[in-house]
Amino acid sequence: MNQPRLADADLAALVPEWLDWAETARRLGVTVAKVRTMIREHELAAAVPVPGAGQQVPADFIQDGLVVKGLPGLLTILHDGRYDDRECIAWLFTDDDLPGRPIDALRENRGSEAKRRAQAMAL
């Protein structure tokens, strides 16, 4: 029962690279307003990695100029289970039961198990 809470995770230590919203927009070929909408609609997630940094998006959420396949659906599942963006990011970048981190599974097009585990967590 002493399992660390996702909300308490050190995101700066878990996520190797962060992008501000302007750089996220540039890499996706959209406007900053579109990035804001994508975050609001759970196509992307953003958090403040360190105090004073402002909200940023993990760079691993973007691959080949697109949002990583399966990420929006997985974020929706987690949000439906009442997880916030910070907790979603912490879970995606934590090496737990999967072989590797859930974000790696999504990036390697083997996200089925990650989605199944997210559904179980959201219940």
Side-chain angles (χ1 to χ4, degrees):
M1 281 195 129
N2 282 343
Q3 185 121 356
R5 293 174 354 129
L6 287 172
D8 298 332
D10 180 1
L11 293 183
L14 285 175
V15 179
E17 182 183 358
W18 293 88
L19 307 173
D20 64 23
W21 289 13
E23 180 60 17
T24 301
R26 189 190 71 70
R27 289 191 185 189
L28 290 172
V30 299
T31 65
V32 173
K34 176 64 175 171
V35 169
R36 183 178 304 114
T37 300
M38 293 172 82
I39 292 167
R40 185 177 61 245
E41 294 177 354
H42 309 306
E43 294 174 48
L44 286 172
V48 177
V50 293
Q55 277 200 337
Q56 297 182 23
V57 174
D60 283 341
F61 285 1
I62 300 169
Q63 187 174 31
D64 301 325
L66 300 169
V67 173
V68 170
K69 180 182 175 186
L71 179 65
L74 195 139
L75 290 173
T76 297
I77 290 168
L78 291 172
H79 280 284
D80 286 351
R82 306 244 188 259
Y83 289 84
D84 64 20
D85 274 8
R86 182 177 187 78
E87 293 166 319
C88 291
I89 293 169
W91 183 77
L92 281 159
F93 283 87
T94 299
D95 191 351
D96 200 14
D97 296 333
L98 290 169
R101 306 172 304 173
I103 187 62
D104 297 329
L106 289 175
R107 290 177 62 86
E108 295 165 6
N109 202 23
R110 51 180 184 86
S112 297
E113 180 65 13
K115 289 177 192 171
R116 188 188 67 71
R117 290 177 192 231
Q119 287 172 328
M121 286 176 39
L123 294 177

